[in-house]
Amino acid sequence: MASNPYSFGETDQVLVEEKSSARIFTLNRPKQLNAVSFQMVSRLLDLFLACEEDPSVKLIILKGKGRAFSAGGDVTAVVRDITQGNWRLGANFFGREFILNYVMATYSKPQVSILNGIVMGGGAGVSIHGSFRVATENSLFAMPETALGLFPDVGASYFLSRLPGFFGEYVGLTGARLDGAEMLACGLATHFVPSNKISLLEDALCKADSNDPAVISATISELSLVPNLKEKSDCHRLNIINKCFSRRTVEEIISALEREAADKEDEWISSTIQSLKKASPTSLKISLRSIREGRLQGIGKCLVREYRMVCTVMRGEISKDFFEGCRAILLDKDKNPKWEPSRLEQVTEDMVDCYFSKINEEGWEDLDLPRRSNIPPCAIAKL
């Protein structure tokens, strides 16, 4: 059995099912809301690479066990490693995770991610890069990193920068939560299928016995619908989002929102301003620049740049906001982080530049992405 790449034990963090020419991978840490661990990332990477080489596999279906697809990366484990003096263990985790994101973005076979529940941070990384993303009425998407002293990573500077107008800047800076209908409307999801039809969808995909994206798309479409957006949906706010979040700096974005707030009483505007003012100033500045650079870069360049950024975050030499955010939100849960620097104007251009530069430390290297072959036309466009 050891030679079978699909074999697994009961305690495995990724469950594997073979159904005709499809492979169904289930993220299996339900108590942790399927937080993406180093073990899970490594397992998924091995499975994806093995299935790519296996001519009998035509389709990958990825889903989560329990009420989450995946609530994000297991950053508490990373912080634990760093506080014990080993940021390179964290670098290993992010490096492996970003390579998985790259393999998914350039995968030669269709990947259908079933996002029936929470999908945040690292959970978006293992799904949004795939060819098909199926949302349901239970889907809840967010990139909440700026509240944690981090930045939207896992290739988010690529996929957020390609949302309509400046919606990606809005979602990335504020950590705004989107439901399944909103995910479909802005393009984060490719389809919307009611959750009571998900098992029918899996059966239909397995029966289709095809690796043709057109056949897969048509199969999903048969069970899909276009849900109505809620009356107060962020997607109805694109005009004001574009007007404010197109500004050059975070300070100008906040000023533009405050001018709008002065003109009219609007709960959405004031809560957006509050989200920005509660986030780490350093995180906001590096996040905005990252998304802006992502608009002009392919997925590979985005991941290499984000790896530099995350290594700089973990070293904590410019700001220790990541540790403070994890302490306040995930560990002590007092939700009262003390950011340092505490104000946007204290975060200089030179400080921001450091996050985008190579790290000058012995043994550190830029992320080395694997060479890919048989890249399908839809993925070539991402390069």
Side-chain angles (χ1 to χ4, degrees):
M1 281 300 282
S3 64
N4 180 355
Y6 312 130
S7 65
F8 59 92
E10 281 306 300
T11 58
D12 208 351
Q13 296 188 7
V14 182
L15 303 179
V16 180
E17 217 181 324
E18 300 182 36
K19 269 196 184 174
S20 70
S21 61
R23 295 292 176 273
I24 303 172
F25 302 151
T26 305
L27 308 182
N28 184 38
R29 300 181 77 204
K31 283 187 179 150
Q32 295 84 11
L33 299 178
N34 300 321
V36 180
S37 65
F38 184 78
Q39 187 187 334
M40 190 187 274
V41 164
S42 301
R43 181 84 172 114
L44 282 171
L45 185 56
D46 289 348
L47 286 166
F48 267 78
L49 293 173
C51 287
E52 197 160 43
E53 296 298 311
D54 185 340
S56 70
V57 179
K58 294 180 181 173
L59 170 72
I60 306 286
I61 297 172
L62 188 62
K63 60 183 184 175
K65 192 170 189 178
R67 67 189 182 90
F69 171 78
S70 168
D74 194 354
V75 289
T76 44
V78 173
V79 171
R80 193 173 57 240
D81 290 334
I82 300 169
T83 47
Q84 288 166 5
N86 201 343
W87 72 271
R88 285 178 182 272
L89 282 177
N92 270 352
F93 167 70
F94 283 106
R96 186 72 60 92
E97 184 180 29
F98 291 4
I99 286 169
L100 174 64
N101 301 149
Y102 185 67
V103 166
M104 287 177 164
T106 54
Y107 207 59
S108 60
K109 299 176 183 186
Q111 172 189 342
V112 178
S113 304
I114 296 173
L115 307 175
N116 185 28
I118 301 164
V119 53
M120 294 184 182
V126 295
S127 56
I128 304 296
H129 296 296
S131 32
F132 299 100
R133 289 93 59 192
V134 179
T136 75
E137 74 282 1
N138 299 322
S139 299
L140 176 65
F141 174 92
M143 297 301 286
E145 287 82 2
T146 58
L148 273 177
L150 196 54
F151 62 93
D153 60 335
V154 295
S157 62
Y158 179 84
F159 63 74
L160 290 179
S161 64
R162 281 151 181 81
L163 299 186
F166 292 86
F167 198 65
E169 277 89 339
Y170 164 67
V171 169
L173 294 181
T174 65
R177 297 180 166 215
L178 307 177
D179 64 20
E182 291 168 319
M183 289 180 73
L184 182 71
C186 75
L188 286 165
T190 57
H191 297 79
F192 182 100
V193 174
S195 60
N196 61 2
K197 294 193 174 161
I198 290 297
S199 56
L200 288 174
L201 174 64
E202 282 183 40
D203 290 344
L205 287 167
C206 295
K207 281 200 188 90
D209 189 29
S210 176
N211 61 4
D212 181 346
V215 172
I216 303 298
S217 186
T219 305
I220 305 172
S221 294
E222 279 184 21
L223 293 162
S224 296
L225 51 86
V226 178
N228 292 323
L229 288 167
K230 292 198 296 270
E231 191 187 331
K232 291 190 171 179
S233 167
D234 294 351
C235 294
H236 296 316
R237 301 280 187 164
L238 261 181
N239 283 345
I240 189 169
I241 286 171
N242 288 343
K243 186 175 173 185
C244 298
F245 283 83
S246 58
R247 304 297 168 133
R248 195 177 59 83
T249 65
V250 180
E251 290 93 329
E252 287 169 25
I253 289 170
I254 292 173
S255 297
L257 285 162
E258 287 175 334
R259 280 196 298 277
E260 294 291 328
D263 289 343
K264 52 182 173 291
E265 270 296 303
D266 186 324
E267 197 185 317
W268 177 86
I269 297 175
S270 48
S271 74
T272 300
I273 294 168
Q274 277 310 107
S275 297
L276 293 168
K277 289 191 170 174
K278 271 170 41 184
S280 153
T282 304
S283 291
L284 289 173
K285 288 209 168 178
I286 65 173
S287 298
L288 181 61
R289 177 156 157 191
S290 179
I291 294 167
R292 292 276 157 88
E293 290 198 3
R295 285 174 174 265
L296 305 171
Q297 293 176 333
I299 181 61
K301 279 217 167 99
C302 284
L303 287 164
V304 169
R305 172 175 43 70
E306 288 176 15
Y307 181 71
R308 287 183 179 186
M309 293 172 70
V310 84
C311 286
T312 307
V313 165
M314 288 187 296
R315 290 177 79 214
E317 289 189 353
I318 299 157
S319 165
K320 293 187 166 45
D321 280 3
F322 176 48
F323 316 115
E324 175 60 9
C326 288
R327 180 205 65 73
I329 309 292
L330 302 173
L331 302 170
D332 299 347
K333 299 186 177 166
D334 59 38
K335 296 190 175 156
N336 188 25
K338 301 278 184 280
W339 304 126
E340 189 58 48
S342 60
R343 302 206 331 266
L344 284 163
E345 56 270 27
Q346 295 169 323
V347 185
T348 66
E349 280 296 304
D350 286 350
M351 288 162 75
V352 173
D353 286 343
C354 291
Y355 286 88
F356 293 78
S357 309
K358 283 191 172 188
I359 287 172
N360 187 14
E361 187 172 309
E362 197 181 334
W364 184 88
E365 291 178 356
D366 266 328
L367 184 64
D368 186 19
L369 293 171
R371 288 183 73 84
R372 306 285 291 137
S373 53
N374 302 326
I375 300 177
C378 62
I380 288 171
K382 299 178 189 172
L383 300 176

